[in-house]
Amino acid sequence: MSVDTQLPEKSTRASHFDVSMFDGSTLTNRFALPALLLFASGFSALVFQVVWVRQLSLIVGVDVYAVTAGVSAFMAGLALGALFLGRAIDRSENPFRFYALLEAGVALCGMAVTLALANFAAPFAIIEDSAAPVAWIIVFALVGLPAVLMGGTLPALVRSINASTSDIGLKGGGLYAANTGGAIAGTLVAAFLLIPNLGVSGTAYAAAALSLVAAAFAIGLGKSYQAQSNAPANMNSRPFSGDVRLALVLYSAAGGVALGYEVIWTQSIVQFMSTRAFAFAIVLATYLFGLAAGSAFAARWVDRVRDHWSAFGLLIAGAGFIALGGIAFLGSWIIMLQSMAEYWLLQLTGNQLAAMSARFAVASAIIVLPTTLLLGAAFPFALKLVVEDGRAGSGVGLVSGWNTLGSIVGTILTGFVLVPNFGFVGSFGILAVAAAAIGLIAVFRNVATVGWQRIGAASICVLTLAVAFLIPSDRFASLLPGAHNGKLVFYEEGLGASVAVVEQGRDRTFRRLYIQGVSNTGDSLPSLRYMRLQALLPLITMQKQPQAAMVVGLGTGITAGALLAYDGLNQRVAAELLPGVKRAAALFNGNLEAASSPALDIRLRDGRRELLASQDSYDLITLEPPPPSAAGVANLYSTDFYRLAVARLRPGGMVAQWLPLPTQNDEDTRSLVRSFINVFPHATLWTTELHEMLLVGSLEPMKLDVGLMSARFEQPDVRRALQEIGINSLPELMATFVMDREGLEAYAGNAPPVTDDDPRIEYAAWVRPDTFSTVLPKFMDLAREPQLENAGESFIASMKEEREVLYTFYSAGLSAYRGDRDNWQRNAAFVSAHAPDNAYYAWFFGGSPR
């Protein structure tokens, strides 16, 4: 999914300034000051985009259509600003003041839009229900208006430095690098510093403050530079030449190819990276760095090149060939280099996040950087082909505007057409061939082109076609980490993400679900246990008779399938973001054929959007999203989301939230607990597996009536489903109770909650190696017995015995983590002796229940 796919084009629009018209220290100063302004513009624009795309995901959803539509609105605003403000800039007597007005407008609109989007989710759902076009027009207007102003900042500063056709490449390339440098800084600072410390709104306000400072600075520059500025350009009505129009079309197509690459990289590179926000920020920063470095390098010699058509064409064609060729050479050697970089940086810094960031940077540098260097180098040549004397503002606006429009088209075509129909490799091949075609047209456009240039372009085209046909279509599937020691039984490269199912194990096989190359879950017995309990435990313990239940996240289908085992439900709903996951679910054991059951309504929509847009209400909403630290997932663990879930609960209903222990540090787990109990006055915590917990909350007291629970437990399908995962009796189920609200309050302490505006868990520190073995004992120390109604002495005694066995098993697990073999053997022997018929314990100890 993806925030980062569009930023390079914003950077494209803002980077040209005049160097050659000055000399000595004056040259340095007059070059540096506009560059500084463009750096600030690039920084603030990138930060605003990150913030708004994140806010839009809470309004329109996180599916690929919604995200693309929201980002396209931003891109369209940039394009319109570049295209239509350029002429006004050329007529401006003081382009610095023009820039100041634009940047001040960006700041004010940016703050207003951030505030509006923060409160627009519910109104959007209401308006969309009755007038969908109106709702989307409002979204486009909110995001697009400030983007229009951003689109004019580059042409304004190019106009301010009196660029001409003789030096536009040098000046344009330099400003492009400056603006893109600001975007790089914005990418990294937003992810590593601003959002973790200031939250989403605070980050936007920081960007607005920077824009206001830039505007004030530009006003001062306008006064001091006014004497050196040219008179307003001679605007005449003559049309641009045919060569200019062709260059714009080709550069627009090149923009589509470039963003097409970025769409595929975003989905395919994750298996070498991580789903953390830091990883995606580093990928985007690498992309932008390639554009900036390529442009800066090419700007130094562009004005000395005679044949700009051939240079432009060869760069675009070469970028396509390198992008495709890079896929052919992907392999385990990248992982080896990543491991080396991670190891050495960890030794130097002792910082796990820094070490992992080095790992991400290696993969990005190998896969993304070479192509973007050539794409960035093409920009100064595009300026040379388009910009005419007296039309610096409009010329630069046309270049960046048309390129941005092409980027929008490329993003949509690649994400919605190419990848679903041709996969990653096929899409790369098509884009590379398109790049080669662009190169051929450009090289052959100049009749004076020498033979070697034409031969070179034709050779690139032939080689590109050959490589496109030779690379196996399952190239990325073969690189899946789990596929090396397993059997790939399902693989699909589709809308939004790749989905794979890998069969692993020898003596006892099980299957794992991979999304974007990252393992999510599987159908091994431990996974089967926690996912079935995710649904059946709250259904059994609920005071009222549940009739409607919803699962957020289909995954393997096991949790949703558990709903099928429970009699009495007349509505079962599962919300799933990815169509590929729905198709893959049929391949997992233990889900009671949920994917094909007519009793389960699978809705292909992200869970938050489903709750926001649908008026259905439920007795149980059980949440099984990806781990909370994954990018874009914090919005399913926030207090704001829980309040939304409460609004869809029927009286006496419950919300159950999966709480994994190994995926975040102790302080972050405390924040997750705080988020939950801040919304639910009645909350309990249960342990569903060694590594997993389950938070259950309600607005009303949750009584545990043994008589009522016994009747539900004894439902034949429920009892069978629980026995298969090592829950053989109701006392054994009650033994998984950990604590009530009092205990949760003690554990959470003063930890700040996760909110939509403060998604701290997504930007938290890297997980420490000893996290699990530290957090689980804390919960065990705080554990207490449940308050049961209608429970006899024998029931309580049996529950205590089962609790002792369970906690001894957990102690064995902790001993294994700590390398304490003697204690592990002693505890394992105790568990095996006291629970010989338990399938769950037997799975770990290598036996089978008797």
Side-chain angles (χ1 to χ4, degrees):
M1 315 182 300
S2 302
V3 167
D4 57 277
T5 58
Q6 318 303 329
L7 259 299
E9 304 314 312
K10 158 65 186 80
S11 308
T12 300
R13 121 187 116 66
S15 48
H16 313 284
F17 39 173
D18 192 347
V19 198
S20 60
M21 60 183 287
F22 309 113
D23 47 44
S25 61
T26 303
L27 181 151
T28 302
N29 291 337
R30 294 188 176 181
F31 181 87
L33 295 177
L36 184 62
L37 293 178
L38 285 172
F39 184 95
S41 294
F43 184 101
S44 62
L46 187 289
V47 172
F48 274 129
Q49 188 191 15
V50 169
V51 167
W52 294 338
V53 170
R54 185 178 190 91
Q55 290 182 308
L56 282 173
S57 70
L58 303 178
I59 298 172
V60 302
V62 296
D63 66 82
V64 65
Y65 296 104
V67 171
T68 301
V71 174
S72 294
F74 184 89
M75 297 280 293
L78 294 179
L80 292 175
L83 290 171
F84 294 107
L85 291 177
R87 293 181 181 273
I89 291 166
D90 280 334
R91 291 192 294 267
S92 171
E93 294 184 0
N94 194 321
F96 276 112
R97 290 180 181 174
F98 199 105
Y99 167 89
L101 289 174
L102 292 176
E103 204 63 40
V106 167
L108 297 177
C109 289
M111 290 188 290
V113 168
T114 300
L115 182 61
L117 291 177
N119 298 279
F120 192 55
F124 177 85
I126 295 172
I127 298 172
E128 188 188 35
D129 187 53
S130 57
V134 174
W136 281 96
I137 288 172
I138 295 174
V139 166
F140 268 67
L142 284 173
V143 178
L145 178 59
V148 169
L149 303 179
M150 294 174 186
T153 54
L154 170 62
L157 289 185
V158 172
R159 164 77 173 82
S160 74
I161 57 173
N162 305 313
S164 65
T165 55
S166 63
D167 57 11
I168 186 63
L170 174 63
K171 298 172 181 179
L175 287 182
Y176 178 75
N179 180 250
T180 309
I184 295 169
T187 300
L188 298 175
V189 172
F192 286 86
L193 183 63
L194 292 180
I195 296 179
N197 291 282
L198 301 180
V200 175
S201 297
T203 296
Y205 298 149
L210 180 61
S211 291
L212 289 174
V213 170
F217 191 57
I219 292 174
L221 285 179
K223 296 177 180 178
S224 60
Y225 275 67
Q226 191 169 14
Q228 286 106 8
S229 298
N230 285 342
N234 178 26
M235 297 300 298
N236 53 61
S237 60
R238 76 181 190 276
F240 285 99
S241 67
D243 280 351
V244 168
R245 291 195 294 271
L246 177 62
L248 289 172
V249 170
L250 293 179
Y251 196 53
S252 178
V257 170
L259 263 292
Y261 293 148
E262 208 280 340
V263 168
I264 304 174
W265 282 328
T266 300
Q267 295 187 35
S268 62
I269 199 176
V270 178
Q271 65 192 64
F272 298 102
M273 307 278 284
S274 165
T275 55
R276 293 293 300 271
F278 304 119
F280 291 107
I282 289 173
V283 173
L284 177 56
T286 304
Y287 188 108
L288 294 172
F289 177 78
L291 296 178
S295 177
F297 178 78
R300 293 179 175 272
W301 50 271
V302 61
D303 292 321
R304 298 194 292 270
V305 174
R306 294 182 179 179
D307 188 352
H308 299 114
W309 278 108
S310 294
F312 172 80
L314 289 171
L315 286 168
I316 297 298
F321 177 71
I322 290 177
L324 184 62
I327 303 305
F329 291 99
L330 289 178
S332 58
W333 61 273
I334 293 181
I335 299 175
M336 293 175 59
L337 290 179
Q338 288 180 288
S339 299
M340 291 172 59
E342 178 187 355
Y343 172 80
W344 286 111
L345 202 60
L346 184 60
Q347 296 302 308
L348 289 173
T349 65
N351 187 297
Q352 189 69 35
L353 178 57
M356 294 305 297
S357 296
R359 188 180 188 92
F360 306 151
V362 167
S364 298
I366 293 172
I367 299 173
V368 176
L369 185 59
T371 300
T372 55
L373 285 170
L374 296 186
L375 293 172
F379 183 72
F381 290 96
L383 292 178
K384 292 290 290 186
L385 295 172
V386 171
V387 177
E388 301 175 349
D389 285 335
R391 289 181 164 186
S394 57
V396 172
L398 283 171
V399 171
S400 64
W402 276 86
N403 185 260
T404 305
L405 290 175
S407 300
I408 297 172
V409 175
T411 299
I412 295 172
L413 285 178
T414 303
F416 297 154
V417 179
L418 296 185
V419 172
N421 290 284
F422 302 99
F424 293 152
V425 173
S427 299
F428 260 121
I430 292 171
L431 292 172
V433 170
I438 294 170
L440 276 177
I441 294 172
V443 170
F444 279 82
R445 173 63 177 178
N446 189 353
V447 296
T449 299
V450 296
W452 73 264
Q453 293 165 332
R454 296 188 175 189
I455 293 173
S459 299
I460 292 175
C461 187
V462 171
L463 288 172
T464 298
L465 285 169
V467 174
F469 280 104
L470 289 175
I471 299 178
S473 59
D474 63 347
R475 181 68 177 137
F476 285 97
S478 65
L479 294 172
L480 278 174
H484 297 304
N485 298 312
K487 176 184 176 183
L488 189 67
V489 296
F490 177 89
Y491 186 76
E492 177 180 300
E493 295 166 349
L495 287 171
S498 63
V499 178
V501 178
V502 177
E503 187 171 279
Q504 298 173 325
R506 294 182 180 179
D507 297 333
R508 50 186 181 191
T509 60
F510 59 92
R511 292 176 173 178
R512 294 202 63 81
L513 175 67
Y514 286 80
I515 298 176
Q516 287 191 298
V518 177
S519 176
N520 276 242
T521 186
D523 61 5
S524 64
L525 198 144
S527 298
L528 190 65
R529 177 182 171 100
Y530 87 78
M531 285 188 278
R532 281 189 177 173
L533 288 176
Q534 188 88 19
L536 292 177
L537 192 151
L539 289 174
I540 291 172
T541 59
M542 190 177 297
Q543 274 292 105
K544 63 179 295 187
Q545 174 58 48
Q547 295 183 331
M550 176 186 183
V551 176
V552 174
L554 179 65
T556 59
I558 293 172
T559 300
L563 297 178
L564 299 174
Y566 188 89
D567 290 337
L569 292 176
N570 54 38
Q571 184 182 22
R572 302 173 179 90
V573 175
E576 173 53 50
L577 179 63
L578 299 173
V581 169
K582 178 182 177 181
R583 288 186 281 272
L587 300 172
F588 290 96
N589 297 313
N591 62 19
L592 307 183
E593 299 182 350
S596 58
S597 173
L600 178 65
D601 180 10
I602 301 177
R603 300 177 183 177
L604 291 175
R605 180 187 272 176
D606 76 82
R608 183 159 180 153
R609 183 83 178 103
E610 171 62 28
L611 289 174
L612 190 64
S614 174
Q615 295 302 310
D616 290 345
S617 60
Y618 303 95
D619 298 299
L620 171 64
I621 299 173
T622 184
L623 311 169
E624 197 181 341
S629 59
V633 179
N635 60 10
L636 295 177
Y637 291 88
S638 68
T639 55
D640 306 82
F641 173 69
Y642 294 139
R643 292 190 184 101
L644 173 61
V646 164
R648 296 292 179 263
L649 278 185
R650 296 176 180 178
M654 293 178 172
V655 170
Q657 174 65 281
W658 174 54
L659 182 65
L661 299 185
T663 58
Q664 64 281 328
N665 290 313
D666 176 48
E667 60 270 22
D668 302 313
T669 301
R670 291 193 295 114
S671 287
L672 292 172
V673 171
R674 171 55 62 193
S675 305
F676 193 83
I677 63 178
N678 275 5
V679 174
F680 296 101
H682 305 279
T684 55
L685 181 72
W686 305 72
T687 174
T688 53
E689 203 271 320
L690 174 65
H691 305 91
E692 329 290 337
M693 295 280 178
L694 181 66
L695 285 162
V696 179
S698 178
L699 298 182
E700 301 175 25
M702 297 182 293
K703 299 178 180 179
L704 298 175
D705 188 311
V706 172
L708 181 63
M709 292 187 295
S710 295
R712 294 173 179 173
F713 187 95
E714 292 301 325
Q715 291 182 22
D717 290 340
V718 170
R719 185 177 184 87
R720 186 182 308 110
L722 291 175
Q723 284 179 335
E724 290 174 356
I725 60 173
I727 303 292
N728 298 310
S729 64
L730 185 60
E732 200 163 359
L733 180 65
M734 291 297 100
T736 64
F737 179 90
V738 180
M739 63 183 71
D740 55 14
R741 182 184 177 88
E742 183 179 350
L744 290 170
E745 283 282 2
Y747 174 74
N750 59 358
V754 177
T755 67
D756 289 348
D757 193 60
D758 187 11
R760 58 182 53 250
I761 183 66
E762 189 171 325
Y763 300 92
W766 207 262
V767 181
R768 294 183 288 272
D770 62 344
T771 290
F772 171 72
S773 58
T774 300
V775 175
L776 180 58
K778 291 185 178 181
F779 281 120
M780 294 173 66
D781 290 342
L782 289 170
R784 58 198 67 189
E785 294 182 4
Q787 298 297 311
L788 301 174
E789 294 186 357
N790 301 316
E793 292 183 3
S794 61
F795 185 96
I796 295 175
S798 177
M799 180 188 69
K800 290 181 177 180
E801 290 177 3
E802 297 294 350
R803 186 187 187 92
E804 181 183 8
V805 174
L806 179 65
Y807 277 45
T808 302
F809 169 74
Y810 283 2
S811 295
L814 290 170
S815 297
Y817 272 92
R818 295 164 180 159
D820 186 350
R821 185 173 182 82
D822 292 339
N823 200 35
W824 178 86
Q825 289 180 329
R826 183 167 51 255
N827 289 327
F830 178 89
V831 173
S832 297
H834 287 77
D837 299 324
N838 189 291
Y840 175 57
Y841 301 143
W843 193 92
F844 280 92
F845 298 142
S848 58
R850 294 197 297 268

